[in-house]
Amino acid sequence: MLIALIARDKPGALEIRKANREAHLAYIEDTGVVAQAGPLIVDGEMAGSLVILDVDDLQAAERWAEQDPYAKAGLFGSVELIEWKKVIG
């Protein structure tokens, strides 16, 4: 099941993002369930994340999201998890 994680950073949290980026990228590598990922960009700055998870169910995506170093550091103001269907690409 593909799940889109759409997270928006809290205002003024760019330094939190930068300080936890290496741990976040290592978590992505270690867990092996990320199909695609990248930052959301607002006014030329990273302001959130889009992560496509390939997991068994929504609960697995929720667990993944809770353990993400970005989430643990309090980076996000909002997080949405929604089933996604790949059509192109």
Side-chain angles (χ1 to χ4, degrees), residues 7-9 17 38-41 45-50 70 75-76:
R8 299 202 182 260
D9 296 358
R17 175 175 281 278
L40 301 176
I41 307 296
E45 295 288 342
M46 294 179 286
S49 298
L50 171 62
Y70 278 167
L75 174 63
F76 301 131

Side-chain angles (χ1 to χ4, degrees), residues 23-77:
H24 167 74
L25 295 175
Y27 180 65
I28 286 174
E29 180 79 22
D30 292 346
T31 57
V33 297
V34 175
Q36 298 180 41
L40 301 176
I41 307 296
V42 175
D43 297 328
E45 295 288 342
M46 294 179 286
S49 298
L50 171 62
V51 180
I52 305 298
L53 300 167
D54 188 352
V55 292
D56 291 334
D57 52 37
L58 184 58
Q59 292 75 27
E62 290 169 348
R63 286 189 301 274
W64 189 94
E66 290 168 358
Q67 296 302 311
D68 180 358
Y70 278 167
K72 287 183 166 187
L75 174 63
F76 301 131

